[in-house]
Amino acid sequence: MQTEAQIFKSLFDWFKRESGLVLIRANQATPRPPRPYASMRFVVASTRLGGSVDQRISTQVTSGDWLVQTSGMRKAVASFNIFGENALSLLATVRDSLDRPDVIEEFEIAEITHLDEGSIQDLTALQETDYEERGQLDLTIAFVAESTVDVKTI
C-alpha cells in the first residue's frame, strides 16, 4: 500500500520526467523559476469511492483483541500547469505518455490507477507587456487507502 505522500511523489516524478521541466508544488512561497516550468497541486486530495472493507487479519491469543485492517478506494485529482513557451504541446506530450506501456507499468507499481484526464486548457495570459503561454491539465487517479486498528475485546 502506498501513502498519499508516496502517490503524490510518484505523480510528481512521472510528470517531471515526461515534461523535462522544473516542476514545483503550486502555491509555494518562493520566487518563480525561469520559464518554462510546471506546477502541480491536488485540487481534490482524496474522495471516497464506495464504502470501505474491514478484514480481521489476526487475533492476539492472550487478550482476545483483534487487529482489523480497513481498506477502501479513493479518488484524487492532480492539476498540472505549464508556464512558458510550448506549454500546450508539452502538456499534450505528457498526457499522451499515459498510453505507453512503460508508464502504465510505472503507475501499477506505484499502485495508482489512471481514471481520466481532462482537456488541456489554454490559460495564456498577459503578463505586463507580453503574453505568457500557459496550459493546464487535470489528471484523475484512484488508489487504495488502508489503516489497521487494534479492536479491544468487550
Side-chain angles (χ1 to χ4, degrees):
M1 185 210 84
Q2 299 276 17
T3 65
E4 288 185 30
Q6 290 168 319
I7 289 166
F8 184 96
K9 184 177 180 333
S10 295
L11 287 176
F12 191 93
D13 293 345
W14 159 75
F15 191 91
K16 184 175 180 178
R17 183 189 69 246
E18 295 298 327
S19 70
L21 298 175
V22 171
L23 178 61
I24 62 170
R25 290 185 140 187
N27 306 325
Q28 67 180 21
T30 58
R32 290 173 24 147
R35 286 175 280 197
Y37 73 96
S39 69
M40 175 187 175
R41 75 180 179 107
F42 278 102
V43 291
V44 177
S46 181
T47 301
R48 290 170 52 111
L49 289 175
S52 295
V53 176
D54 294 337
Q55 174 184 359
R56 183 180 62 155
I57 56 176
S58 68
T59 302
Q60 297 175 358
V61 178
T62 55
S63 66
D65 294 351
W66 293 6
L67 290 178
V68 175
Q69 182 180 58
T70 302
S71 61
M73 291 297 297
R74 303 294 182 257
K75 178 174 78 169
V77 179
S79 181
F80 297 96
N81 291 271
I82 294 181
F83 303 84
E85 192 173 328
N86 297 320
L88 301 175
S89 63
L90 279 170
L91 277 172
T93 299
V94 173
R95 179 206 52 212
D96 293 346
S97 77
L98 292 166
D99 297 326
R100 291 194 337 242
D102 60 320
V103 173
I104 292 169
E105 182 179 20
E106 177 183 356
F107 276 36
E108 286 175 359
I109 290 168
E111 299 176 15
I112 299 169
T113 300
H114 161 234
L115 296 177
D116 189 28
E117 72 279 340
S119 300
I120 294 172
Q121 302 295 316
D122 184 351
L123 304 176
T124 300
L126 183 62
Q127 297 293 308
E128 298 177 16
T129 60
D130 291 325
Y131 280 92
E132 176 184 55
E133 186 177 347
R134 296 178 181 182
Q136 186 266 334
L137 174 69
D138 287 344
L139 178 67
T140 304
I141 60 163
F143 57 95
V144 174
E146 294 178 334
S147 62
T148 303
V149 64
D150 185 355
V151 179
K152 303 293 181 191
T153 307
I154 298 175

